[in-house]
């Protein structure tokens, strides 16, 4: 039932609030023998980190991962791997105002009604800070997936507001701080962000994820379908309001003769399905997209109510992300990697006896 | 791990193939004392049934539900409720051709690679026939939700191909066989379907679901968020390629000042969020949308390969659904109801001591 | 949460009451490709069946298993296997008396307090009738375990009242209707039962289970230990009040130098541990024992209360089992087999990459 | 699947090895609003701590609990509660000898065969050090159980080797370092331990647990029976080889007329069942017993094999517990409390609508 645990076999349990002493996670079910070191977490955590550029929120989080358990002489032992990151960055701030007010677009009102108590410091458990541990846990999953199955998961910013890429290069994605696939457009992107920041407003974004090197056969009908669990994983990321597999909502106006991916001995003719049929991977690249809402923490005043039920005006001071989607690609990659890792082990459990089957079209 | 079980507390385990002797399900965790009779299943199963009109597939399935357990003197006892429907409708057909060929857009190829064995009769387990038991199980959930929480779940066809409703009336939705919210457009819809049928092709659709009467506080951060589990539930329906909550992908171009739902003492000013913030219900109506791909079983020939890896041409004979989305609203309702039922009980487990909390804005 | 589901990966969900139309189960997670036929269930169901001899309850239950799903051309497909047994044997009896009274030693009073409603017909869900489906489901598990892992699970009656075996032969166990390992004592056993029956009383029993051919390495620390899950599985059988692994309660007076099983290159010197260390199998035979209470349905009158809280005298009429333990060995075998099957798949999931490790002492 | 997580709704995930930097746990599903402070853990951790007296192992573990998350202003918020204890006590010891040898009676050989890798430092994950976090997590459960349900869980040492209590007083249990219920026998107990210690050997023990104040109705048929989950919980404790509910193995020789607990308007006449019928609590005290094997870490030399498969002689040096059962009562209490807490919430989930039912016999 544990809703702070993700996965069925390769499980990740996260804990911690934005302004508590630490955040952390426990990875359970990891195969033994995988080499692992604390230094391996810094790349992905750095990619995710706020303060990455002047265009995202300025909080400084060194995010040093400490591995508390599950390793012996640099290798996983099959026992739980606990990861811990101390929250050095939080400031001793006065949250009494926020504690009395429900910010529009945030989880303040809903946590209050669910629990009858709410940690107002930096959003508490509902803070995007929590996603740090998803990225950390996924470092382990991504390493295993690459080494043992040849699967690689990558994401990019596919749209910010009205702006869409005019070209696509994976190389570009890691060259700019926005995971934008067209380096030539980066100045335009920066200009858009500056305009937003000055206006005190924010904008939404689309992020796309691709998993290459997929084997056919991962996924479980009917309620553990690969796409079903990907949808759950991606929708669980803060601020996500939509998830697509393959052509997504574009299928609404497609014809069957157009959508279905024909097969030839040398491979599929197209990939409208996004690499999943009947909830099971086809061996084609997995394609998913997510819609991120514009952050609600903006300088533009908004109407709300306070604990006494009286009308109040809310203005978010201090840090301000004009587009949360800019930081989201590493988180999207992480969630896809965790789903795939889980399914890799689940597939082995039930179908470990089934050898590679012919014909395999590539 | 059981991937044929849906839910964490109120669980539904389904079984059966399209052409086996029967399909069925086991509902576990149902509260005791709920009145229930076999006749109560006929309405929703009838709404879902194929053969509903000349515009959907002509298979005749009376779909009589037999309750095998869990009742005493017409009331649930808290023990598992098993439901069974005999498959009277399947014909003794020659499936040897299909058994040798992977139909494009179907799960044939992926099941083959996962399991090394595949039941080719009518799609086997991957048939939409399976969704019958989702609808049946949800009859129990919907009854409890309405009686105990005042929650009602309804769905409609929001788009078929390029056609969108020009008006919206819930009354219309149940007046035509397409769950279309604008009765005036029904002739146009029928005409579109006739054209599709004659061309031997199919088209996609969008279905929207609304849950009214929601209390605030249902849902569990962070991996059991209400929207996360709705996404999983809806994406697990056959042919679904996208899921949206609230404004969905439209948020990509929205500004924060536009998207965030402001609050006033007399209620929320808007519902862009679709009734969920931070994964927990706000008390506003829950709004979700799904994209259904055009069915791949069409008369237009398609390229594929056979078991020997040789190229073959595939034409689906016999029954043919020009738009699977036409039958989907009851299934979408069912999955939303199952998620809500599960969360109602989970909320009670953890927060049963938390009384209604002020202020409640309506 | 589903408490009518057993297992984590290879799951069995059972349903049905003693006097409902049918009982059944759904097996999920079974590896594909296993040959299976309805006839294969008759041996174990026959071994378990009541009416086996004049010494156990005389109810006639042919217990014909119908396989409703999950097979294609005689082989498992990896989809859920539903098994159904119609309850032909129940008589149209007047249960109004029982419905008003809580029988001592039965679940009547506790079900009433939990659910506020109770199915009084034959014990409803708390009837030992439910164990039939455990035995049926275990037929699948036992076949896979034997064919794929060389593991065989057998049980016998190790004590009835004060009587203990004076010799032990596996061959004898299947030669008499009591699973008694010493054929010479059978007349004495029969005489004891006859005396009990005439006195209208019942007696307890001890059943022991042995799994041969175990590989080392099955089991998961720390809450999914093999012995922990065996204890749960065996204690879940009706009327069981105690479970032992290896030497069990005899360890209380043992010395460490006596209990610990020493190892030599040619194998373990003893098996006090019962084949499990640290929750993981050693490769030695798995040894477990269970204590069955004397059945409470006896002719000797007992004091109780009725629904009005008034004192009443209860006498069980009709069928009467002088020792439920006599029928229990197949059920104990079933539960052990289900645990082992589950762990075989779970082990493969996490440790499928770990090859056989040296040294292996046999 | 996560086998380092205990519980279904109120879940506890533990991590850490004996000689790693820290051990810890994450509690998920705790009701909000419970007051909690780090100081509240010291009593139970102190009771469990090694080094309690000269009669148990001399390791010094201050075991200071740090609460990392889940609290706001001293109350639980409903989000995960992470607890951490730094391992200050471990010494920099040379484990190269132990790394090459499989100690008899330990998990060395089985971990090696399962994972192909083994952390030899102090037993790694299989060390009883792990049980510290069970006790810590149970502090939260015990507090809630007492405050919200009036349930209290207590355990005592019921037998050490051949020695059994000659009198029983709960007051005595907390007066001596052995949880022995008869203070007069403590000198005799101490003498027995001294003899054992001098002989370099160890002995087994029996521990009994009692839960008072139980309401009727907790527990879930049929695989989540209260006794079934208690058996699993207790058998998961290191060194436990047997579990009994109520009369346990004594039922083997009992008659039905003797065992079944008769009911009268003023209550049950006896409690042979140990407070559970049909897997559901009766409202009587819950009674369970556990058998602890004699520890295998003794000075008496034992035969074993090394990594090369060669015969070796093993002698455990340093710390040495003559009877692990002496420290076990707090751990047994903890596991029972965790099971009850989980069932309290699960009961509320399914049966929250069922009011108290008449007649209630006390």
């Amino acid at each position: 039932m544990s809703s702070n645990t993700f996965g069925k076999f390769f499980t990740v349990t996260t804990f911690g609030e934005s302004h508590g002493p630490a955040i952390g996670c426990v990875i359970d079910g990891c195969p033994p023998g995988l080499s692992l070191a604390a230094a391996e977490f810094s790349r992905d955590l750095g990619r995710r980190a706020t303060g990455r550029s002047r265009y995202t929120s300025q909080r400084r989080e060194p995010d040093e991962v400490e591995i508390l358990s599950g390793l012996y002489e640099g290798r996983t032992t099959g026992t739980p791997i606990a990861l811990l990151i101390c929250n050095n960055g939080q400031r001793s701030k006065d949250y009494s105002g926020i504690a009395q007010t429900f910010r529009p677009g945030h989880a303040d009102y809903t946590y209050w009604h669910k629990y009858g108590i709410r940690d107002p410091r930096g959003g508490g458990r509902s803070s995007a800070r929590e996603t740090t541990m998803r990225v950390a846990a996924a470092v382990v999953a991504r390493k295993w997936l690459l080494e043992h199955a040849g699967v690689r998961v990558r994401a990019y910013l596919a749209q910010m507001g009205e702006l869409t890429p005019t070209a696509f290069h994976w190389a570009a994605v890691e060259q700019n701080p926005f995971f934008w696939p067209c380096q030539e457009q980066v100045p335009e992107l920066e200009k858009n962000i500056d305009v937003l920041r000055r206006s005190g407003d924010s904008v939404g974004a689309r992020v796309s994820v691709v998993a290459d090197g997929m084997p056919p056969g991962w996924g479980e009908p009917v309620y553990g379908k690969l796409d079903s669990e990907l949808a759950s994983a991606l929708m669980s990321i803060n601020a996500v309001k939509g998830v697509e597999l393959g052509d997504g909502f574009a299928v609404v106006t497609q014809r069957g003769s157009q959508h279905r991916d024909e097969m030839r001995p040398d491979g599929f003719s197209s990939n409208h399905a996004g690499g999943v049929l009947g909830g099971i991977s086809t061996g084609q690249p997995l394609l998913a997209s997510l819609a991120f809402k514009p952050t609600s923490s903006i300088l533009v005043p908004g109407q709300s109510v306070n604990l006494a039920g009286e009308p109040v005006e809310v203005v978010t001071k201090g840090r301000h992300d004009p587009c949360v989607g800019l930081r989201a690609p590493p988180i999207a990659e992480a969630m896809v990697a965790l789903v795939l890792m889980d399914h890799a082990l689940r597939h082995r459990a039930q179908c470990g006896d089934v050898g590679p089957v012919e014909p395999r079209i590539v």
Side-chain angles (χ1 to χ4, degrees), chain A residues 12-331:
Chain A
V12 178
T13 303
T14 65
F15 62 84
E17 284 86 32
S18 172
H19 287 58
I23 57 174
C25 73
V26 185
I27 302 170
D28 200 5
C30 185
L34 184 73
S35 74
L36 197 65
E40 296 181 60
F41 294 89
S42 52
R43 177 180 172 271
D44 282 344
L45 289 177
R47 289 171 74 229
R48 178 209 163 275
T50 57
R52 187 174 175 188
S53 77
R54 68 182 165 110
Y55 299 101
T56 54
S57 153
Q58 298 303 312
R59 178 173 179 172
R60 274 275 149 226
E61 294 165 345
D63 284 349
E64 294 279 342
V65 169
E66 188 179 5
I67 304 176
L68 296 180
S69 64
L71 291 195
Y72 178 64
E73 296 185 342
R75 295 197 170 267
T76 60
T77 61
T79 59
I81 304 166
L83 306 176
L84 196 76
I85 296 177
C86 288
N87 279 334
N88 303 311
Q90 80 269 25
R91 319 171 198 172
S92 52
K93 187 177 158 187
D94 178 12
Y95 280 94
S96 55
I98 288 178
Q100 295 299 315
T101 304
F102 303 113
R103 294 169 297 163
H106 283 83
D108 301 347
Y109 180 78
T110 55
Y111 270 63
W112 179 248
H113 275 273
K114 182 172 193 67
Y115 298 115
I117 182 176
R118 176 170 72 88
D119 182 347
R121 299 165 299 173
R125 182 69 179 154
S126 72
S127 165
R129 178 75 177 142
E130 183 270 337
T131 59
T132 309
M133 296 319 300
R134 307 185 185 207
V135 173
V139 166
V140 182
R142 296 174 75 162
K143 186 170 188 181
W144 190 92
L145 284 168
L146 193 60
E147 291 187 0
H148 286 74
V151 172
R152 182 177 51 170
V153 185
R154 292 180 292 181
Y156 61 94
L157 188 63
Q159 187 172 351
M160 189 190 80
E162 288 78 11
L163 192 69
T164 54
T166 52
F168 184 91
H169 302 286
W170 277 118
V173 170
E174 299 293 329
Q175 281 170 11
N176 62 76
F178 313 109
F179 305 96
W180 191 259
C182 173
Q183 192 65 26
E184 288 71 34
Q185 287 175 292
V186 170
E188 186 181 354
L189 201 69
E190 293 179 341
K191 190 180 145 197
N192 287 7
I193 296 170
D194 281 338
V195 169
L196 270 173
R197 190 180 292 279
R198 278 193 298 270
S199 70
D201 213 337
S202 61
V203 77
R206 171 190 287 264
V207 168
S208 293
V209 199
V210 181
D212 292 304
M214 289 291 298
W218 287 4
E220 291 177 353
V222 297
Y223 305 115
K225 284 176 174 166
L226 194 55
D227 33 1
S228 169
E229 299 204 353
L230 285 168
S232 174
L234 295 173
M235 195 68 98
S236 80
I237 301 174
N238 305 37
V240 172
K241 300 303 290 182
V243 177
E244 298 183 321
L245 262 287
D247 286 357
F249 278 89
V251 301
V252 173
T253 54
Q254 289 176 350
R255 295 296 177 279
S257 54
Q258 167 190 8
H259 177 82
R260 63 176 175 180
D261 302 306
E262 295 186 306
M263 289 177 270
R264 292 189 169 78
D266 61 348
F268 287 89
S269 304
S270 52
N271 190 7
H272 295 288
V276 187
L277 284 172
I280 303 172
S281 63
T282 62
Q284 290 193 283
L286 206 67
L287 310 175
S289 279
L290 307 76
F292 283 86
K293 72 175 185 183
T295 181
S296 304
S297 299
I298 51 179
L299 302 180
V300 181
Q303 298 303 311
S304 189
V305 297
N306 63 18
L307 270 180
E310 302 157 340
V312 293
E313 191 179 82
V314 174
V315 176
T316 302
K317 289 163 194 148
R319 299 192 307 249
H320 157 231
D321 250 336
C323 179
V324 288
L326 299 187
R327 296 196 274 143
I331 304 167

Side-chain angles (χ1 to χ4, degrees), chain A residues 6 226 229-230 233 334-344 346:
Chain A
F6 184 81
L226 194 55
E229 299 204 353
L230 285 168
M335 295 314 292
V336 170
L338 291 177
V339 169
L340 294 180
M341 180 76 206
D342 197 32
H343 274 283
R346 287 155 65 177

